[in-house]
Amino acid sequence: MNRLANASSPYLRLHAANPVAWYPWGPEAFAEAERRDVPVLVSIGYSTCHWCHVMARESFADDATAAIINDGFVAIKVDREEHPDVDAAYLDAASAFTRNLGWPLTVFTTPRGAVFYAGTYWPDEARGGLPAFRDVLAAVREAWTQRREEVERTGEALRQAIAGAAAPGADAPPSLDELAAAARGVAAAEDREHGGFAAGLGMESPKFPNVPVLRFLACEALAEAAPDAADVARRALRAMADSELHDPVEGGFFRYATRRDWTVPHYERMLTDNAGLIDAALDVGEDDIARDAARFLVDVLQQPSGGIAAAQDSESIIDGARSEGGYYARDAEGRAGLQPPALDGKIVTGWNGHAIAALARAGAVLGDARFLEAARWAADAVLETNLGADGMLRRASLDEIVSSAPATLEDYGGLARGLLALALATGEPAYAVRARELVDACVEEDGTIEAPGGGDPVLVAQGVQTAGVPSDGAAPSGPSALAAAALALWQAGAGDRYRSVAVTLVKAAAPAALAAPIAHGALLQVAAALAEAPHQLVVVGDPGAPLAQRARRIRADIVALVSPEQAEALAAAGLSLFEGKTALDGRTTAYDCRGFACRLPVTDPDQLG
């Protein structure tokens, strides 16, 4: 029985023809394992993962290996991008068995979901110090049948250890002094020779864009207390733009480089990285980098539906052979006759939210209507397909097939922030209203903050939890994304209760974030904004007027260019920042505000900024 052919994940569809009798993630697989009294094999990856493809070709497409799996296990295939909570929970558990975490992630659990062994990639034949995957399967099967009590004790002990790993939060958000110290600590880790941050000193150390921490370093609140921090971010961006990590033909940046000097990339191009790089580049005035990443999102990733695809693969077929990065090694003329690497066309709600926010900002700052229209198109597509009539979000969709995966805090927060940014860029209050509704849906009457539904239902039923505070990876974590959305709503005048939501989320993560700032850049960026009064700039009148053009170049927490009618509508929608904002005597007028207290309005560009 083929259970993956109509999945809402390209990654699962890639495995639909495997001889392995895969189940998608859900309670049915665990119930079947209970019925058969066999362990569960959970294989987690994503469609643009190179080593996931390798393990698929070596093992999951092999009839003999598949027979071993089908005989002794119930096998589940998981797209980590579709089920991030599942991925996070099993990564935490896998860390008890291996330091080399990554994907493919291969996890063995009891029928009740307790993890008792895990690893990543295992080859088809033993090599490089790794056992053959078939030998791993045999050993796990032997342990299950011969040492069942030991296996179950291991699983239960690990589950209890993870459940007890939650660290207490702080009594208050970090002070500006604490944030500046964190920024200086991150800046001190800069690779002074090649820019950015490497995992080690050798040339073979991989290097990632680390967008959230670059944005933290560029915070205006840190300009005096950590004056060198923004330059660290700027140098990293310029180094990436001038390196092999950047695609000069179609724009955008690859996932990471395998060497410290940003050479020998892994060639997949991700929505999360490139959306974040738009914002990071605008933060430090690198307009060409922002424009380049934005055109990749619009020209390559945006789908006919308007939604923006999750990623583009690293592999393509050239001269009949599979090539890793060969397409990207060619110039525009050389690519013209080639089939581009496949897109993962999955429309992930939160990731589209990040892209909507970045494109809306790029459209406004760079004066490029194409980016703004792309943001609007993406927002409308996500709201139409990934939002149910009951107001509940889903994590993703593919070809308008909506995933069964529940939306996470990242989805609610990411989409809310994107919609609010779009409302401020277009003056359309409906987007702001929907943004507020999404944040409100995550805050219960008793103040508890969680995604509606309380998380993945299978993990909840099994009592499986994640350990500690989630970190910010290529994109903000769920708490960071929701905190950023709540912060932006407060800055736009939606009310102090939204600041309280942001403060609650920041306090919960503050000790972990200050202890490891390079892993919590998005959370610390919100904390930095909370440490100072917001800077808000509203221009009412002609968006093409010289005053409006000057305003576009000013960096502030809120920059809105609206007509008098739009200002009135935004105020009526509950954004008090826009109350009383008019075009004086019919002339384009700017209101420069700090902490909701505005200077006298000006109509002369020379009086602004």
Side-chain angles (χ1 to χ4, degrees):
M1 178 180 179
N2 190 329
R3 303 179 183 90
L4 306 185
N6 295 317
S8 55
S9 158
Y11 178 60
L12 266 61
R13 291 185 185 182
L14 286 173
H15 289 269
N18 288 166
V20 177
W22 294 112
Y23 279 79
W25 178 258
E28 295 80 10
F30 291 96
E32 177 64 9
E34 187 85 51
R35 186 189 70 79
R36 290 177 52 197
D37 191 29
V38 295
V40 177
L41 162 62
V42 184
S43 175
I44 303 175
Y46 56 103
S47 69
T48 59
C49 165
H50 172 70
W51 288 104
C52 299
H53 295 328
V54 173
M55 191 167 180
R57 290 193 291 267
E58 290 179 345
S59 295
F60 301 139
D62 177 68
D63 288 333
T65 304
I68 295 171
I69 295 172
N70 295 339
D71 180 63
F73 303 84
V74 169
I76 302 176
K77 179 58 72 173
V78 177
D79 182 338
R80 65 175 296 263
E81 297 171 346
E82 185 180 24
H83 292 278
D85 288 352
V86 176
D87 180 56
Y90 284 152
L91 276 173
D92 283 345
S95 67
F97 303 99
T98 177
R99 293 182 179 180
N100 299 316
L101 295 174
W103 302 275
L105 182 64
T106 310
V107 180
F108 297 94
T109 85
T110 69
R112 297 185 180 181
V115 176
F116 63 87
Y117 191 59
T120 54
Y121 163 78
W122 280 300
D124 54 343
E125 301 291 344
R127 59 176 177 268
L130 293 173
F133 184 48
R134 278 176 287 187
D135 292 339
V136 172
L137 293 171
V140 170
R141 180 65 176 159
E142 187 272 336
W144 179 257
T145 56
Q146 302 299 320
R147 303 191 305 278
R148 177 76 62 88
E149 289 187 4
E150 178 184 340
V151 165
E152 292 182 338
R153 280 199 305 271
T154 297
E156 187 56 33
L158 181 57
R159 176 154 44 194
Q160 292 180 7
I162 291 174
D171 294 330
S175 67
L176 194 55
D177 286 343
E178 290 175 311
L179 292 165
R184 289 192 294 269
V186 172
E190 179 191 17
D191 180 346
R192 299 300 179 89
E193 184 177 2
H194 300 292
F197 307 96
L201 298 177
M203 284 303 295
E204 301 302 320
S205 295
K207 190 174 280 185
F208 289 79
N210 283 333
V211 171
V213 81
L214 297 184
R215 298 209 64 201
F216 167 57
L217 293 175
C219 286
E220 281 196 297
L222 302 174
E224 293 186 8
D228 298 329
D231 285 338
V232 173
R234 186 177 292 106
R235 285 193 292 269
L237 288 162
R238 282 262 55 105
M240 284 185 266
D242 296 336
S243 76
E244 294 178 15
L245 197 75
H246 171 230
D247 180 5
V249 178
E250 296 172 343
F253 293 79
F254 302 115
R255 180 68 189 96
Y256 71 98
T258 60
R259 293 173 59 84
R260 265 185 58 211
D261 59 358
W262 299 104
T263 59
V264 194
H266 265 215
Y267 286 96
E268 60 267 28
R269 291 189 287 186
M270 314 297 290
L271 169 57
T272 47
D273 290 319
N274 285 281
L277 285 166
I278 296 171
D279 270 324
L282 292 174
D283 288 344
V284 295
E286 294 287 350
D287 291 358
D288 61 324
I289 297 176
R291 185 176 286 106
D292 190 81
R295 72 181 176 93
F296 166 67
L297 263 59
V298 175
D299 295 341
V300 178
L301 291 188
Q302 192 154 34
Q303 299 291 281
S305 67
I308 302 177
Q312 186 173 32
D313 207 342
S314 61
E315 297 183 356
S316 60
I317 304 299
I318 299 178
D319 298 329
R322 186 177 297 275
S323 172
E324 166 79 12
Y327 174 85
Y328 302 111
R330 303 196 179 194
D331 60 17
E333 183 178 356
R335 293 185 194 185
L338 298 178
Q339 182 71 26
L343 295 181
D344 181 332
K346 186 169 68 265
I347 309 301
V348 179
T349 299
W351 297 2
N352 270 252
H354 303 324
I356 291 162
L359 288 171
R361 183 183 175 196
V365 173
L366 303 177
D368 193 324
R370 190 169 73 109
F371 297 152
L372 190 57
E373 184 55 35
R376 189 200 309 266
W377 191 21
D380 292 344
V382 172
L383 289 172
E384 180 179 352
T385 304
N386 291 17
L387 183 66
D390 58 358
M392 296 284 285
L393 279 180
R394 308 309 295 175
R395 171 65 177 173
S397 61
L398 176 66
D399 301 332
E400 300 188 359
I401 298 173
V402 181
S403 171
S404 62
T408 65
L409 273 185
E410 182 196 3
D411 296 309
Y412 279 88
L415 183 58
R417 187 176 73 89
L419 293 176
L420 182 61
L422 186 58
L424 298 176
T426 63
E428 296 183 24
Y431 293 123
V433 171
R434 187 56 61 89
R436 188 173 58 216
E437 291 171 349
L438 291 172
V439 173
D440 289 346
C442 298
V443 184
E444 298 183 6
E445 290 185 5
D446 64 358
T448 300
I449 300 173
E450 63 180 10
D456 183 89
V458 176
L459 295 181
V460 170
Q462 294 174 346
V464 176
Q465 302 179 33
T466 54
V469 175
S471 61
D472 300 313
S477 69
S480 298
L482 192 71
L487 172 73
L489 282 166
W490 169 65
Q491 291 169 336
D496 286 344
R497 63 194 178 102
Y498 294 102
R499 185 182 190 278
S500 297
V501 170
V503 167
T504 297
L505 290 164
V506 167
K507 288 194 302 183
L514 291 173
I518 203 164
H520 296 276
L523 193 285
L524 292 175
Q525 183 188 359
V526 175
L530 289 170
E532 287 200 332
H535 181 195
Q536 303 133 317
L537 181 60
V538 177
V539 178
V540 183
D542 178 7
L547 181 65
Q549 297 302 320
R550 171 70 67 87
R552 294 180 195 277
R553 308 308 307 177
I554 294 176
R555 189 176 173 200
D557 296 298
I558 296 289
V559 178
L561 282 67
V562 296
S563 69
E565 296 77 16
Q566 289 170 335
E568 185 177 358
L570 288 165
L575 301 185
S576 64
L577 177 64
F578 295 89
E579 290 179 358
K581 304 297 191 295
T582 62
L584 298 180
D585 299 324
R587 302 173 64 188
T588 299
T589 304
Y591 298 82
D592 193 351
C593 313
R594 302 276 178 168
F596 300 96
C598 301
R599 297 166 52 194
L600 290 175
V602 300
T603 57
D604 183 348
D606 293 335
Q607 295 178 295
L608 186 62

